[in-house]
Amino acid sequence: MKQTIIIGGQVAITLDERDNNVEDLQFMPDDELTPVLEQGSRTHGWLQQLRNGAFDYVPNRPRIRANSTLLCKAAHGRLSATRDQAIQLTLKVFKREGLDVKGTLRREALELIENTKL
C-alpha cells in the first residue's frame, strides 16, 4: 500500500551563476518531522533528511565522457581518433581463445595502422 505524505514548508535553491544549474536544493518543513528516509539516495545526486526534518539535495556533476570516432575495426581491436586530436589503438584478446597473444596483437595492430589513412 502506497502512502503519500504532504509537507508544508520552504525550499531554498542555490544556482550556479554561469549556467543557472542547480547546485543545492534544501527543503525546510514548517513542523519538525519524524525521519522518513532511513538512508540517503544517490540516483541523480545526494538526497538526505536532516535531524530537524529538512531535506537536502545536491545534484551530481555531469560526467564528461570521452568521445572518439572509429577509424578502422579489426577482429580484436579498433583504431579511433579522439576528441583531443589523438589516435587511440585498442586491442583485446581473451585467454580462452587459445591464440598466440603476442602474434595476434602485433598482426592486428599493423593491419589497423596500414589500413587506415591518417
Side-chain angles (χ1 to χ4, degrees):
M1 182 174 167
K2 293 184 180 181
Q3 182 181 9
T4 303
I5 300 172
I6 299 173
I7 305 167
Q10 296 180 339
V11 174
I13 301 172
T14 306
L15 299 174
D16 185 0
E17 290 179 357
R18 290 175 284 149
D19 50 12
N20 272 351
N21 284 340
V22 175
E23 284 189 352
D24 184 58
L25 183 135
Q26 187 175 21
F27 172 73
M28 294 147 302
D30 292 334
D31 303 316
E32 284 198 18
L33 302 170
T34 309
V36 181
L37 297 174
E38 292 181 11
Q39 56 181 330
S41 171
R42 290 184 180 242
T43 305
H44 298 287
W46 177 246
L47 173 67
Q48 62 183 343
Q49 186 176 11
L50 306 175
R51 289 183 185 182
N52 66 353
F55 288 92
D56 186 41
Y57 175 75
V58 180
N60 291 334
R61 296 271 178 210
R63 199 173 101 195
I64 299 172
R65 299 175 187 255
N67 292 338
S68 61
T69 305
L70 178 65
L71 299 175
C72 190
K73 192 166 175 141
H76 295 96
R78 60 189 293 148
L79 193 66
S80 304
T82 63
R83 186 171 46 175
D84 60 354
Q85 306 303 313
I87 302 298
Q88 179 176 331
L89 173 64
T90 307
L91 297 168
K92 182 176 181 178
V93 177
F94 291 99
K95 292 179 183 178
R96 67 175 181 260
E97 291 182 82
L99 299 172
D100 172 31
V101 175
K102 284 183 181 179
T104 303
L105 292 178
R106 185 179 298 123
R107 185 180 69 252
E108 290 199 15
L110 289 171
E111 178 185 317
L112 285 168
I113 293 167
E114 289 172 359
N115 291 337
T116 304
K117 296 177 184 178
L118 299 175

